[in-house]
Each structure stands twice: as C-alpha cells, then as structure tokens.
mmCIF file of all heavy atoms in Angstrom:
data_model
loop_
_atom_site.group_PDB
_atom_site.id
_atom_site.type_symbol
_atom_site.label_atom_id
_atom_site.label_comp_id
_atom_site.label_asym_id
_atom_site.label_seq_id
_atom_site.Cartn_x
_atom_site.Cartn_y
_atom_site.Cartn_z
ATOM 1 N N LYS V 2 -11.679 3.076 -5.667
ATOM 2 C CA LYS V 2 -13.026 3.621 -5.884
ATOM 3 C C LYS V 2 -13.488 4.432 -4.678
ATOM 4 O O LYS V 2 -14.089 5.503 -4.826
ATOM 5 C CB LYS V 2 -14.011 2.497 -6.190
ATOM 6 C CG LYS V 2 -13.817 1.897 -7.554
ATOM 7 C CD LYS V 2 -14.786 0.769 -7.814
ATOM 8 C CE LYS V 2 -14.485 0.145 -9.166
ATOM 9 N NZ LYS V 2 -15.266 -1.045 -9.422
ATOM 10 N N GLN V 3 -13.219 3.927 -3.489
ATOM 11 C CA GLN V 3 -13.597 4.652 -2.279
ATOM 12 C C GLN V 3 -12.844 5.979 -2.179
ATOM 13 O O GLN V 3 -13.428 7.016 -1.838
ATOM 14 C CB GLN V 3 -13.326 3.794 -1.045
ATOM 15 C CG GLN V 3 -14.215 2.577 -0.945
ATOM 16 C CD GLN V 3 -13.751 1.578 0.096
ATOM 17 O OE1 GLN V 3 -12.590 1.540 0.492
ATOM 18 N NE2 GLN V 3 -14.681 0.738 0.546
ATOM 19 N N ALA V 4 -11.565 5.945 -2.472
ATOM 20 C CA ALA V 4 -10.745 7.154 -2.407
ATOM 21 C C ALA V 4 -11.201 8.175 -3.442
ATOM 22 O O ALA V 4 -11.260 9.380 -3.153
ATOM 23 C CB ALA V 4 -9.273 6.804 -2.620
ATOM 24 N N GLU V 5 -11.536 7.716 -4.637
ATOM 25 C CA GLU V 5 -12.045 8.626 -5.665
ATOM 26 C C GLU V 5 -13.331 9.292 -5.194
ATOM 27 O O GLU V 5 -13.516 10.499 -5.378
ATOM 28 C CB GLU V 5 -12.279 7.864 -6.974
ATOM 29 C CG GLU V 5 -11.003 7.418 -7.640
ATOM 30 C CD GLU V 5 -11.233 6.444 -8.781
ATOM 31 O OE1 GLU V 5 -12.354 5.917 -8.949
ATOM 32 O OE2 GLU V 5 -10.263 6.199 -9.520
ATOM 33 N N ASP V 6 -14.202 8.523 -4.572
ATOM 34 C CA ASP V 6 -15.449 9.073 -4.053
ATOM 35 C C ASP V 6 -15.180 10.137 -2.988
ATOM 36 O O ASP V 6 -15.798 11.206 -2.994
ATOM 37 C CB ASP V 6 -16.331 7.953 -3.500
ATOM 38 C CG ASP V 6 -17.664 8.471 -3.003
ATOM 39 O OD1 ASP V 6 -18.421 9.036 -3.821
ATOM 40 O OD2 ASP V 6 -17.948 8.309 -1.804
ATOM 41 N N VAL V 7 -14.254 9.856 -2.085
ATOM 42 C CA VAL V 7 -13.904 10.802 -1.018
ATOM 43 C C VAL V 7 -13.379 12.105 -1.621
ATOM 44 O O VAL V 7 -13.799 13.202 -1.246
ATOM 45 C CB VAL V 7 -12.861 10.180 -0.057
ATOM 46 C CG1 VAL V 7 -12.234 11.226 0.845
ATOM 47 C CG2 VAL V 7 -13.482 9.059 0.750
ATOM 48 N N VAL V 8 -12.462 11.989 -2.573
ATOM 49 C CA VAL V 8 -11.837 13.172 -3.171
ATOM 50 C C VAL V 8 -12.857 13.982 -3.972
ATOM 51 O O VAL V 8 -12.939 15.205 -3.836
ATOM 52 C CB VAL V 8 -10.628 12.758 -4.046
ATOM 53 C CG1 VAL V 8 -10.156 13.908 -4.927
ATOM 54 C CG2 VAL V 8 -9.494 12.262 -3.159
ATOM 55 N N LEU V 9 -13.652 13.322 -4.800
ATOM 56 C CA LEU V 9 -14.638 14.040 -5.607
ATOM 57 C C LEU V 9 -15.722 14.668 -4.734
ATOM 58 O O LEU V 9 -16.218 15.749 -5.043
ATOM 59 C CB LEU V 9 -15.246 13.113 -6.663
ATOM 60 C CG LEU V 9 -14.270 12.698 -7.760
ATOM 61 C CD1 LEU V 9 -14.918 11.694 -8.696
ATOM 62 C CD2 LEU V 9 -13.742 13.899 -8.528
ATOM 63 N N ASP V 10 -16.063 14.002 -3.640
ATOM 64 C CA ASP V 10 -17.032 14.581 -2.706
ATOM 65 C C ASP V 10 -16.458 15.840 -2.070
ATOM 66 O O ASP V 10 -17.143 16.850 -1.952
ATOM 67 C CB ASP V 10 -17.418 13.559 -1.638
ATOM 68 C CG ASP V 10 -18.439 14.116 -0.663
ATOM 69 O OD1 ASP V 10 -19.557 14.441 -1.111
ATOM 70 O OD2 ASP V 10 -18.122 14.231 0.536
ATOM 71 N N TYR V 11 -15.203 15.807 -1.657
ATOM 72 C CA TYR V 11 -14.574 16.993 -1.070
ATOM 73 C C TYR V 11 -14.551 18.140 -2.083
ATOM 74 O O TYR V 11 -14.825 19.294 -1.746
ATOM 75 C CB TYR V 11 -13.150 16.694 -0.582
ATOM 76 C CG TYR V 11 -12.479 17.946 -0.087
ATOM 77 C CD1 TYR V 11 -12.805 18.482 1.150
ATOM 78 C CD2 TYR V 11 -11.577 18.634 -0.888
ATOM 79 C CE1 TYR V 11 -12.233 19.670 1.584
ATOM 80 C CE2 TYR V 11 -11.003 19.826 -0.459
ATOM 81 C CZ TYR V 11 -11.332 20.338 0.776
ATOM 82 O OH TYR V 11 -10.780 21.521 1.196
ATOM 83 N N LEU V 12 -14.234 17.815 -3.341
ATOM 84 C CA LEU V 12 -14.159 18.836 -4.375
ATOM 85 C C LEU V 12 -15.530 19.334 -4.827
ATOM 86 O O LEU V 12 -15.619 20.352 -5.515
ATOM 87 C CB LEU V 12 -13.409 18.294 -5.602
ATOM 88 C CG LEU V 12 -11.921 18.053 -5.427
ATOM 89 C CD1 LEU V 12 -11.356 17.379 -6.660
ATOM 90 C CD2 LEU V 12 -11.195 19.353 -5.137
ATOM 91 N N LYS V 13 -16.572 18.605 -4.435
ATOM 92 C CA LYS V 13 -17.942 18.905 -4.871
ATOM 93 C C LYS V 13 -18.062 18.821 -6.389
ATOM 94 O O LYS V 13 -18.713 19.637 -7.038
ATOM 95 C CB LYS V 13 -18.384 20.286 -4.389
ATOM 96 C CG LYS V 13 -18.358 20.449 -2.882
ATOM 97 C CD LYS V 13 -18.815 21.822 -2.508
ATOM 98 C CE LYS V 13 -18.623 22.053 -1.024
ATOM 99 N NZ LYS V 13 -18.964 23.418 -0.652
ATOM 100 N N LYS V 14 -17.386 17.811 -6.956
ATOM 101 C CA LYS V 14 -17.391 17.603 -8.404
ATOM 102 C C LYS V 14 -17.644 16.124 -8.714
ATOM 103 O O LYS V 14 -16.763 15.420 -9.206
ATOM 104 C CB LYS V 14 -16.052 18.022 -9.009
ATOM 105 C CG LYS V 14 -15.758 19.489 -8.894
ATOM 106 C CD LYS V 14 -14.451 19.848 -9.565
ATOM 107 C CE LYS V 14 -14.195 21.337 -9.407
ATOM 108 N NZ LYS V 14 -12.998 21.783 -10.111
ATOM 109 N N PRO V 15 -18.867 15.652 -8.455
ATOM 110 C CA PRO V 15 -19.127 14.223 -8.677
ATOM 111 C C PRO V 15 -18.993 13.801 -10.133
ATOM 112 O O PRO V 15 -18.708 12.648 -10.416
ATOM 113 C CB PRO V 15 -20.550 14.033 -8.166
ATOM 114 C CG PRO V 15 -21.161 15.391 -8.215
ATOM 115 C CD PRO V 15 -20.037 16.363 -7.990
ATOM 116 N N ASP V 16 -19.179 14.736 -11.055
ATOM 117 C CA ASP V 16 -19.072 14.421 -12.481
ATOM 118 C C ASP V 16 -17.947 15.231 -13.111
ATOM 119 O O ASP V 16 -18.152 15.928 -14.108
ATOM 120 C CB ASP V 16 -20.397 14.717 -13.186
ATOM 121 C CG ASP V 16 -21.544 13.903 -12.621
ATOM 122 O OD1 ASP V 16 -21.331 12.702 -12.378
ATOM 123 O OD2 ASP V 16 -22.634 14.464 -12.411
ATOM 124 N N ALA V 17 -16.760 15.124 -12.562
ATOM 125 C CA ALA V 17 -15.632 15.924 -13.029
ATOM 126 C C ALA V 17 -15.228 15.576 -14.460
ATOM 127 O O ALA V 17 -14.671 16.413 -15.166
ATOM 128 C CB ALA V 17 -14.444 15.751 -12.090
ATOM 129 N N GLY V 18 -15.482 14.352 -14.885
ATOM 130 C CA GLY V 18 -15.146 13.959 -16.241
ATOM 131 C C GLY V 18 -13.682 13.605 -16.450
ATOM 132 O O GLY V 18 -13.220 13.473 -17.576
ATOM 133 N N TRP V 19 -12.937 13.455 -15.386
ATOM 134 C CA TRP V 19 -11.525 13.091 -15.492
ATOM 135 C C TRP V 19 -11.372 11.583 -15.613
ATOM 136 O O TRP V 19 -12.216 10.822 -15.164
ATOM 137 C CB TRP V 19 -10.751 13.544 -14.251
ATOM 138 C CG TRP V 19 -10.704 15.016 -14.023
ATOM 139 C CD1 TRP V 19 -10.504 15.993 -14.945
ATOM 140 C CD2 TRP V 19 -10.833 15.681 -12.771
ATOM 141 N NE1 TRP V 19 -10.512 17.224 -14.339
ATOM 142 C CE2 TRP V 19 -10.711 17.060 -13.003
ATOM 143 C CE3 TRP V 19 -11.047 15.251 -11.470
ATOM 144 C CZ2 TRP V 19 -10.780 18.008 -11.992
ATOM 145 C CZ3 TRP V 19 -11.120 16.192 -10.465
ATOM 146 C CH2 TRP V 19 -10.983 17.556 -10.723
ATOM 147 N N ASP V 20 -10.272 11.163 -16.191
ATOM 148 C CA ASP V 20 -9.871 9.760 -16.167
ATOM 149 C C ASP V 20 -8.386 9.731 -15.825
ATOM 150 O O ASP V 20 -7.798 10.774 -15.525
ATOM 151 C CB ASP V 20 -10.194 9.048 -17.485
ATOM 152 C CG ASP V 20 -9.434 9.627 -18.680
ATOM 153 O OD1 ASP V 20 -8.411 10.303 -18.493
ATOM 154 O OD2 ASP V 20 -9.887 9.382 -19.815
ATOM 155 N N GLU V 21 -7.785 8.539 -15.891
ATOM 156 C CA GLU V 21 -6.385 8.454 -15.449
ATOM 157 C C GLU V 21 -5.424 9.257 -16.320
ATOM 158 O O GLU V 21 -4.311 9.551 -15.905
ATOM 159 C CB GLU V 21 -5.914 7.000 -15.342
ATOM 160 C CG GLU V 21 -5.854 6.260 -16.647
ATOM 161 C CD GLU V 21 -7.081 5.414 -16.919
ATOM 162 O OE1 GLU V 21 -8.077 5.519 -16.200
ATOM 163 O OE2 GLU V 21 -7.038 4.642 -17.874
ATOM 164 N N THR V 22 -5.838 9.650 -17.527
ATOM 165 C CA THR V 22 -4.953 10.443 -18.384
ATOM 166 C C THR V 22 -5.199 11.947 -18.262
ATOM 167 O O THR V 22 -4.330 12.736 -18.592
ATOM 168 C CB THR V 22 -5.100 10.030 -19.865
ATOM 169 O OG1 THR V 22 -6.446 10.261 -20.276
ATOM 170 C CG2 THR V 22 -4.738 8.565 -20.063
ATOM 171 N N SER V 23 -6.381 12.348 -17.786
ATOM 172 C CA SER V 23 -6.697 13.772 -17.731
ATOM 173 C C SER V 23 -6.815 14.338 -16.309
ATOM 174 O O SER V 23 -6.977 15.538 -16.142
ATOM 175 C CB SER V 23 -8.010 14.043 -18.483
ATOM 176 O OG SER V 23 -9.100 13.383 -17.871
ATOM 177 N N VAL V 24 -6.738 13.480 -15.316
ATOM 178 C CA VAL V 24 -6.864 13.932 -13.940
ATOM 179 C C VAL V 24 -5.700 14.868 -13.583
ATOM 180 O O VAL V 24 -4.549 14.587 -13.918
ATOM 181 C CB VAL V 24 -6.929 12.731 -12.960
ATOM 182 C CG1 VAL V 24 -5.657 11.916 -12.994
ATOM 183 C CG2 VAL V 24 -7.244 13.191 -11.555
ATOM 184 N N PRO V 25 -5.988 15.996 -12.937
ATOM 185 C CA PRO V 25 -4.895 16.868 -12.500
ATOM 186 C C PRO V 25 -3.965 16.112 -11.534
ATOM 187 O O PRO V 25 -4.436 15.334 -10.689
ATOM 188 C CB PRO V 25 -5.619 18.013 -11.776
ATOM 189 C CG PRO V 25 -6.999 18.020 -12.350
ATOM 190 C CD PRO V 25 -7.310 16.581 -12.641
ATOM 191 N N PRO V 26 -2.677 16.327 -11.648
ATOM 192 C CA PRO V 26 -1.724 15.600 -10.799
ATOM 193 C C PRO V 26 -2.011 15.711 -9.307
ATOM 194 O O PRO V 26 -1.863 14.749 -8.561
ATOM 195 C CB PRO V 26 -0.372 16.214 -11.154
ATOM 196 C CG PRO V 26 -0.553 16.711 -12.556
ATOM 197 C CD PRO V 26 -1.989 17.165 -12.639
ATOM 198 N N ARG V 27 -2.449 16.880 -8.831
ATOM 199 C CA ARG V 27 -2.719 17.040 -7.395
ATOM 200 C C ARG V 27 -3.921 16.203 -6.970
ATOM 201 O O ARG V 27 -3.982 15.725 -5.852
ATOM 202 C CB ARG V 27 -2.885 18.500 -7.003
ATOM 203 C CG ARG V 27 -4.122 19.159 -7.543
ATOM 204 C CD ARG V 27 -4.307 20.597 -7.089
ATOM 205 N NE ARG V 27 -3.157 21.392 -7.421
ATOM 206 C CZ ARG V 27 -2.631 22.303 -6.600
ATOM 207 N NH1 ARG V 27 -3.171 22.558 -5.446
ATOM 208 N NH2 ARG V 27 -1.574 22.978 -6.959
ATOM 209 N N VAL V 28 -4.886 15.998 -7.871
ATOM 210 C CA VAL V 28 -6.041 15.161 -7.558
ATOM 211 C C VAL V 28 -5.606 13.698 -7.501
ATOM 212 O O VAL V 28 -5.990 12.958 -6.600
ATOM 213 C CB VAL V 28 -7.182 15.370 -8.582
ATOM 214 C CG1 VAL V 28 -8.317 14.394 -8.348
ATOM 215 C CG2 VAL V 28 -7.684 16.810 -8.531
ATOM 216 N N ASN V 29 -4.765 13.299 -8.450
ATOM 217 C CA ASN V 29 -4.229 11.934 -8.435
ATOM 218 C C ASN V 29 -3.447 11.690 -7.148
ATOM 219 O O ASN V 29 -3.604 10.643 -6.499
ATOM 220 C CB ASN V 29 -3.343 11.709 -9.660
ATOM 221 C CG ASN V 29 -2.703 10.350 -9.698
ATOM 222 O OD1 ASN V 29 -1.544 10.203 -9.310
ATOM 223 N ND2 ASN V 29 -3.438 9.350 -10.152
ATOM 224 N N ALA V 30 -2.626 12.651 -6.750
ATOM 225 C CA ALA V 30 -1.847 12.511 -5.520
ATOM 226 C C ALA V 30 -2.767 12.391 -4.303
ATOM 227 O O ALA V 30 -2.508 11.588 -3.393
ATOM 228 C CB ALA V 30 -0.903 13.698 -5.357
ATOM 229 N N ALA V 31 -3.850 13.158 -4.283
ATOM 230 C CA ALA V 31 -4.799 13.091 -3.171
ATOM 231 C C ALA V 31 -5.473 11.725 -3.116
ATOM 232 O O ALA V 31 -5.642 11.150 -2.032
ATOM 233 C CB ALA V 31 -5.839 14.195 -3.296
ATOM 234 N N VAL V 32 -5.850 11.189 -4.268
ATOM 235 C CA VAL V 32 -6.452 9.858 -4.307
ATOM 236 C C VAL V 32 -5.469 8.829 -3.761
ATOM 237 O O VAL V 32 -5.837 7.970 -2.948
ATOM 238 C CB VAL V 32 -6.914 9.486 -5.738
ATOM 239 C CG1 VAL V 32 -7.305 8.015 -5.829
ATOM 240 C CG2 VAL V 32 -8.066 10.369 -6.175
#
C-alpha cells in the first residue's frame, strides 16, 4: 500500500483506476 501510494504520487495519478489485472507492467515493476 505504501509503495502504491509512492508510485501514484510520483505519477500524479491518485485515481488511476488500475488494479492488479490492468496495471501497466512498468508500474507494477516500480511498485
């Protein structure tokens, strides 16, 4: 949860709407 917050904050997309099936692979790797 903390890592997701860090990544979404960096991306400036707090409501990206992704889940574990739709998250872009590079975002998953960053998390």
Side-chain angles (χ1 to χ4, degrees):
K2 288 179 184 173
Q3 293 167 338
E5 291 169 348
D6 182 61
V7 166
V8 167
L9 291 175
D10 181 63
Y11 175 76
L12 291 174
K13 301 180 187 176
K14 295 183 181 184
D16 300 317
W19 297 318
D20 63 20
E21 66 263 10
T22 61
S23 63
V24 63
R27 68 177 56 221
V28 174
N29 178 262
V32 170

